[in-house]
Short mmCIF file of all heavy atoms in Angstrom, two decimals:
data_model
loop_
_atom_site.label_atom_id
_atom_site.label_comp_id
_atom_site.label_asym_id
_atom_site.label_seq_id
_atom_site.Cartn_x
_atom_site.Cartn_y
_atom_site.Cartn_z
N ILE A 1462 -48.62 -162.31 -13.49
CA ILE A 1462 -48.76 -163.17 -12.32
C ILE A 1462 -48.38 -164.62 -12.64
O ILE A 1462 -47.99 -165.38 -11.75
CB ILE A 1462 -50.18 -163.08 -11.73
CG1 ILE A 1462 -50.21 -163.55 -10.28
CG2 ILE A 1462 -51.17 -163.84 -12.56
CD1 ILE A 1462 -49.58 -162.63 -9.33
N GLU A 1463 -48.43 -165.00 -13.92
CA GLU A 1463 -48.07 -166.36 -14.30
C GLU A 1463 -46.61 -166.66 -13.99
O GLU A 1463 -46.25 -167.80 -13.70
CB GLU A 1463 -48.33 -166.58 -15.79
CG GLU A 1463 -49.79 -166.54 -16.17
CD GLU A 1463 -50.00 -166.67 -17.66
OE1 GLU A 1463 -49.08 -167.17 -18.35
OE2 GLU A 1463 -51.07 -166.27 -18.13
N GLN A 1464 -45.76 -165.65 -14.07
CA GLN A 1464 -44.33 -165.84 -13.83
C GLN A 1464 -43.91 -165.43 -12.41
O GLN A 1464 -42.73 -165.50 -12.08
CB GLN A 1464 -43.52 -165.03 -14.85
CG GLN A 1464 -43.83 -165.40 -16.29
CD GLN A 1464 -43.63 -166.87 -16.58
OE1 GLN A 1464 -42.69 -167.48 -16.10
NE2 GLN A 1464 -44.54 -167.45 -17.35
N HIS A 1465 -44.86 -165.03 -11.61
CA HIS A 1465 -44.53 -164.52 -10.28
C HIS A 1465 -43.81 -165.54 -9.42
O HIS A 1465 -42.84 -165.22 -8.74
CB HIS A 1465 -45.80 -164.04 -9.55
CG HIS A 1465 -45.54 -163.69 -8.13
ND1 HIS A 1465 -45.82 -164.56 -7.10
CD2 HIS A 1465 -44.98 -162.59 -7.57
CE1 HIS A 1465 -45.45 -164.00 -5.96
NE2 HIS A 1465 -44.95 -162.81 -6.22
N ARG A 1466 -44.26 -166.77 -9.40
CA ARG A 1466 -43.64 -167.75 -8.51
C ARG A 1466 -42.20 -168.00 -8.88
O ARG A 1466 -41.36 -168.22 -8.01
CB ARG A 1466 -44.46 -169.04 -8.48
CG ARG A 1466 -44.73 -169.63 -9.82
CD ARG A 1466 -45.77 -170.70 -9.73
NE ARG A 1466 -46.16 -171.04 -11.08
CZ ARG A 1466 -46.62 -172.20 -11.44
NH1 ARG A 1466 -46.79 -173.14 -10.54
NH2 ARG A 1466 -46.93 -172.43 -12.67
N TRP A 1467 -41.88 -167.94 -10.18
CA TRP A 1467 -40.49 -168.14 -10.59
C TRP A 1467 -39.66 -166.89 -10.31
O TRP A 1467 -38.47 -166.98 -10.01
CB TRP A 1467 -40.42 -168.56 -12.05
CG TRP A 1467 -41.29 -169.75 -12.29
CD1 TRP A 1467 -42.39 -169.83 -13.09
CD2 TRP A 1467 -41.19 -171.04 -11.64
NE1 TRP A 1467 -42.96 -171.08 -13.00
CE2 TRP A 1467 -42.24 -171.84 -12.12
CE3 TRP A 1467 -40.31 -171.58 -10.71
CZ2 TRP A 1467 -42.43 -173.16 -11.71
CZ3 TRP A 1467 -40.51 -172.90 -10.30
CH2 TRP A 1467 -41.55 -173.67 -10.79
N ALA A 1468 -40.30 -165.72 -10.39
CA ALA A 1468 -39.61 -164.49 -10.01
C ALA A 1468 -39.29 -164.49 -8.53
O ALA A 1468 -38.23 -163.99 -8.11
CB ALA A 1468 -40.46 -163.28 -10.37
N LEU A 1469 -40.15 -165.07 -7.73
CA LEU A 1469 -39.91 -165.17 -6.29
C LEU A 1469 -38.70 -166.06 -6.01
O LEU A 1469 -37.85 -165.74 -5.18
CB LEU A 1469 -41.15 -165.68 -5.57
CG LEU A 1469 -41.13 -165.62 -4.05
CD1 LEU A 1469 -41.10 -164.17 -3.59
CD2 LEU A 1469 -42.33 -166.33 -3.47
N VAL A 1470 -38.62 -167.17 -6.72
CA VAL A 1470 -37.46 -168.06 -6.55
C VAL A 1470 -36.19 -167.35 -7.01
O VAL A 1470 -35.15 -167.41 -6.33
CB VAL A 1470 -37.67 -169.38 -7.33
CG1 VAL A 1470 -36.41 -170.23 -7.31
CG2 VAL A 1470 -38.84 -170.15 -6.76
N ALA A 1471 -36.26 -166.65 -8.12
CA ALA A 1471 -35.09 -165.91 -8.63
C ALA A 1471 -34.66 -164.81 -7.67
O ALA A 1471 -33.46 -164.56 -7.50
CB ALA A 1471 -35.39 -165.33 -10.01
N ALA A 1472 -35.62 -164.16 -7.02
CA ALA A 1472 -35.29 -163.11 -6.06
C ALA A 1472 -34.63 -163.67 -4.82
O ALA A 1472 -33.90 -162.96 -4.12
CB ALA A 1472 -36.55 -162.34 -5.68
N ALA A 1473 -34.85 -164.95 -4.53
CA ALA A 1473 -34.25 -165.57 -3.34
C ALA A 1473 -32.79 -165.96 -3.56
O ALA A 1473 -32.03 -166.08 -2.59
CB ALA A 1473 -35.06 -166.80 -2.94
#
Side-chain angles (χ1 to χ4, degrees):
I1462 200 73
E1463 294 176 21
Q1464 302 304 321
H1465 172 261
R1466 54 193 169 152
W1467 306 117
L1469 190 66
V1470 173

